[in-house]
Amino acid sequence: MGRQVPLVDYLVLGEQPHLEANECTSCGARYFDRRNACASCGATSFHKAAITTEGELRAYTIVSMAAPGVPVPFVAAVIDCDGTSIRANIINTEPDPENVKLGMKVRLATYTVGTDDEGTEAIGFGFAPLEAPDGNR
Amino acid sequence: MATDDVWILGIHMTKFGKHPDLDTIDLAADAALNALGDGGVSMKDMGVVAAGNLMAANAGIGQQLQKQLGQTGVPVYNVANACATGATALRTAIMAIKAGECDMGLAVGVEKLSGAGLLGGGGMAKADKKVYEPRGRYGSVATIDGRIGTETMPGVFAQVGMEYGHKHGGATFELFARISEKNHAHSTLNPLATYSKKMSLEEIMGDVMIAYPNTRPMCSANCDGAAAAVVVSGSKLKTLDPTQRRRAVKVSASVLTTDPWEEACQVLPNVNTLTRNAADQAYEQSGVSPEDLDLVELHDCFATAELVHYDNLGLCAPGEAVPFFESGATWRDGQKPVNVSGGLESKGHPIAATGIANIWEVCHHLRGEAGDRQIEGATVGLAHVIGLGSACGVHILESAAA
C-alpha cells in the first residue's frame, strides 16, 4: 500500500483514526485550524487534544445544490462529540430524512478521497450512524 | 427631540430585480438622489458619505458615487460587512453625527447580484499535476466543501433551523415552508419586490430542493438593487421645515454586534447569540420593548433563519418560535407582523442594499405611506440584518408622532 495523507491536518490516521483539536492551555477552548491566539481568552499557548470518536447528531442539512465539482446529494452536519462540536458529513447511510435523524448516535469513519499522481492516498472522514433506523446495530 | 437624537430625513429603495441596463453606480445614484430628494436636501448638505457594496468591495463605490452626484470633498467611508453591509453604512453615518463631526450624512447600499447563483462554497483550482500538499489553515490536501460539511449559505442556514428544531421541537419541513408561504403572500402587496407572486404550500414544498429543508422559494432571491438614507441630527432637524420634521423618523436605537466566542461558533456559524445581544442592546437604548413593535423586518435569508430570529429578537418567549408562528402572529394581519415587504425570500436580497431597504420598509409604514400593505397606525418598528462571519445590525425606528 502506498503512502496515506489525511484530508485535513486535524484528522489523525493510524490504528484508531480520530480528530485532534488545538486546545487552549488556559481556558480549554478547542479549535481545528492553525491558531494565532485563543478567540475565547486571548492566550497563545495550545496543546493537542484527542476528540472522542462517538457523538450525537445536533444539526444537519441534505445539500442538493452545491458548487461545480461537489457531488450531491450529501448530508452536512454538526456532531456533538462529548461537548466538542464537529463539522462533518454523515456517511454510510442514505441521504434522506428517513435515515438521518437529529439526536442519533454516530461514529467517526474514514474513507479514501482519492489518489494523487504519485500514488499517495488522501483519507477523509465522516460520521456513520451507530444503528440502522430499525434499531439493529 | 434632544440634540443627540439622530433621525432619518430621507430614504429610498430602488425596485429590486433585474436591471440589465443599470450598473452599480446607476443604481446607487438612483437610490441616493431619491433619498436626498425625499429629505429635501442635496449632496452639498451632506457632511459624510458611507457607501456599502460587497461584491466589488475594493472599487471605492462612495467616491464613484460622488463623481456622479457631487464631489464636495467630505469624508467617504466605503464599508463591507457581509449581509450587514447596508446597516453598517447607515450606522457609520449615524456615528459620524453622534460624534459631532457633522449634522447630516448619506448612507448608500448597492449590489448587482442577478444571476449570481449559489453563494458560498467552492473549491481549489485544479493543477496540471495532482500531488497532495497540505494547504490553508486546516492543512487540507483537497477541497473540503462537500466533504466536511457545506460552505453554501442555504446549507448553513438550513442547519441553523434544524438545530433550533432539535432543541425545541416542531420545526418540520412543512413548518419552514409555511413561513415562506407567508412571505410570498406578503410580497403580492409590494410593487418593488423582485417576486410578488403568491405561492401555495404545495408549490413551495414541491419546488427544487436546494439544501433540505430549504427549497428554492425558501431561499433569498439574488437580484440587483440599491437603497439609501439621509440621516440628520436632532438639533439640525429642528431648523428644517414642518414637512421635513413631520416625515422624519427617529432612530431610537442603532446597534451593530459580532459573535462573542462560544463553543461551536467556529464550526457552525452562531447567528443567535449576536442577534440576541444586538436586540437586547437596541431595546435598552430605545426604551422600546418587543411588545411595543408594530412591525418587524428581519433577515429571512432562508425560511429556516426567520424562525430562529423570532426567538432571538424576543418576539416570543424563549424556545416558543414554532407555536408563535403557528398562532398566525407574524402574518400582516397578526399581532406582530414580520416581513410585510415579502422578506428576502420574495423581495430579494441585493446584499449591501438589504440593510437600508429593511429600514426603508419600516419608515414607509411609520410615515403612513406604505399604500396597500400599510400596517395601520404603526409608530414603532424594528429592522434586523445578519451577515455571516458574523455581523448583526438592529435598528429601532419611531415615527415623529410617537
Side-chain angles (χ1 to χ4, degrees):
Chain A
M1 196 174 69
R3 199 169 76 93
Q4 288 187 332
V5 291
L7 175 60
V8 285
D9 60 14
Y10 61 89
L11 170 63
V12 180
L13 301 177
E15 291 277 298
Q16 287 172 318
H18 64 278
L19 303 179
E20 189 178 68
N22 294 311
E23 184 176 281
C24 175
T25 309
S26 170
C27 76
R30 288 177 167 184
Y31 304 92
F32 292 98
D33 61 346
R34 178 158 58 82
R35 300 304 302 176
N36 303 93
C38 178
S40 175
C41 75
T44 54
S45 154
F46 295 87
H47 55 247
K48 298 290 181 190
I51 309 294
T52 179
T53 55
E54 288 190 12
E56 192 179 292
L57 180 61
R58 207 183 80 205
Y60 78 92
T61 180
I62 305 162
V63 177
S64 304
M65 297 267 278
V70 175
V72 290
F74 65 91
V75 181
V78 177
I79 320 296
D80 180 351
C81 285
D82 208 11
T84 300
S85 296
I86 312 287
R87 180 193 300 188
N89 286 8
I90 298 298
I91 60 172
N92 302 345
T93 190
E94 288 303 309
D96 58 53
E98 285 67 46
N99 288 286
V100 181
K101 298 283 182 198
L102 290 165
M104 74 179 185
K105 306 284 182 218
V106 292
R107 179 188 288 153
L108 185 91
T110 58
Y111 65 96
T112 301
V113 171
T115 306
D116 73 8
D117 293 344
E118 294 176 349
T120 303
E121 203 184 0
I123 305 295
F125 71 92
F127 281 77
L130 270 185
E131 295 181 27
D134 60 5
N136 297 325
R137 276 187 95 98
Chain B
M1 40 189 93
T3 50
D4 59 347
D5 286 348
V6 177
W7 297 69
I8 289 173
L9 184 63
I11 188 158
H12 185 80
M13 74 171 267
T14 67
K15 165 100 171 93
F16 281 7
K18 289 193 173 94
H19 289 288
D21 300 331
L22 300 178
D23 66 15
T24 306
I25 304 304
D26 292 326
L27 286 166
D30 181 355
L33 280 175
N34 279 294
L36 290 164
D38 184 50
V41 291
S42 77
M43 278 301 271
K44 290 193 180 69
D45 300 306
M46 299 301 109
V48 64
V49 174
N53 177 242
L54 193 66
M55 303 310 272
N58 59 355
I61 186 75
Q63 286 87 343
Q64 291 193 58
L65 190 61
Q66 284 183 307
K67 284 170 184 148
Q68 297 300 321
L69 304 185
Q71 290 177 248
T72 55
V74 300
V76 162
Y77 297 90
N78 292 301
V79 303
N81 216 358
C83 299
T85 296
T88 303
L90 181 69
R91 179 149 172 68
T92 302
I94 290 171
M95 285 195 297
I97 291 171
K98 289 216 173 215
E101 293 208 356
C102 56
D103 53 26
M104 233 184 261
L106 175 68
V108 187
V110 61
E111 211 75 61
K112 288 277 287 182
L113 212 59
S114 281
L118 194 64
L119 299 187
M124 296 176 172
K126 281 203 172 70
D128 290 343
K129 188 182 180 203
K130 187 165 103 174
V131 178
Y132 290 135
E133 271 178 57
R135 280 195 263 177
R137 297 195 80 88
Y138 294 107
S140 53
V141 300
T143 303
I144 61 173
D145 182 30
R147 293 194 174 105
I148 303 179
T150 182
E151 314 265 315
T152 60
M153 294 297 117
V156 168
F157 280 94
Q159 291 174 83
V160 166
M162 294 293 272
E163 183 182 42
Y164 189 89
H166 183 40
K167 266 190 207 153
H168 304 294
T172 60
F173 175 27
E174 185 184 318
L175 180 108
F176 290 121
R178 282 167 54 208
I179 291 176
S180 187
E181 180 191 22
K182 167 184 74 76
N183 289 350
H184 285 287
H186 286 171
S187 76
T188 58
L189 298 174
N190 186 356
L192 297 186
T194 298
Y195 302 109
S196 47
K197 183 173 154 276
K198 195 173 161 72
M199 291 188 80
S200 70
L201 189 60
E202 293 68 33
E203 285 174 310
I204 292 166
M205 293 179 77
D207 208 304
V208 177
M209 183 59 76
I210 306 294
Y212 179 88
N214 287 320
T215 64
R216 187 170 49 191
M218 296 163 73
C219 300
S220 50
N222 290 333
C223 65
D224 307 331
V230 173
V231 284
V232 62
S233 69
S235 54
K236 177 71 178 176
L237 181 62
K238 277 191 205 164
T239 70
L240 301 179
D241 78 44
T243 312
Q244 286 168 306
R245 291 208 299 271
R246 183 180 55 77
R247 291 182 71 250
V249 171
K250 187 181 173 190
V251 181
S252 299
S254 172
V255 177
L256 192 70
T257 57
T258 56
D259 36 354
W261 191 87
E262 284 178 312
E263 201 287 318
C265 75
Q266 294 191 16
V267 172
L268 178 69
N270 179 345
V271 303
N272 302 315
T273 305
L274 81 166
T275 297
R276 288 174 179 277
N277 289 352
D280 288 349
Q281 287 177 41
Y283 293 132
E284 164 109 33
Q285 259 182 37
S286 61
V288 164
S289 74
E291 294 75 45
D292 301 326
L293 299 171
D294 296 311
L295 76 157
V296 172
E297 285 288 304
L298 63 74
H299 202 74
D300 64 320
C301 48
F302 300 93
T304 45
E306 175 157 328
L307 184 79
V308 304
H309 294 315
Y310 294 154
D311 197 328
N312 293 331
L313 294 172
L315 307 183
C316 61
E320 297 289 311
V322 170
F324 175 67
F325 172 74
E326 284 177 336
S327 76
T330 60
W331 284 77
R332 65 180 302 283
D333 58 358
Q335 50 98 357
K336 195 66 63 188
V338 172
N339 291 335
V340 294
S341 66
L344 279 50
E345 292 163 64
S346 30
K347 181 176 71 175
H349 184 22
I351 300 174
T354 293
I356 298 175
N358 288 352
I359 285 168
W360 176 88
E361 179 69 25
V362 173
C363 287
H364 226 46
H365 290 270
L366 301 187
R367 287 167 158 185
E369 298 173 0
D372 290 344
R373 67 181 185 287
Q374 175 70 40
I375 299 297
E376 284 309 318
T379 56
V380 190
L382 180 149
H384 157 259
V385 286
I386 183 165
L388 285 195
S390 302
C392 175
V394 169
H395 286 85
I396 291 177
L397 304 149
E398 293 183 80
S399 63

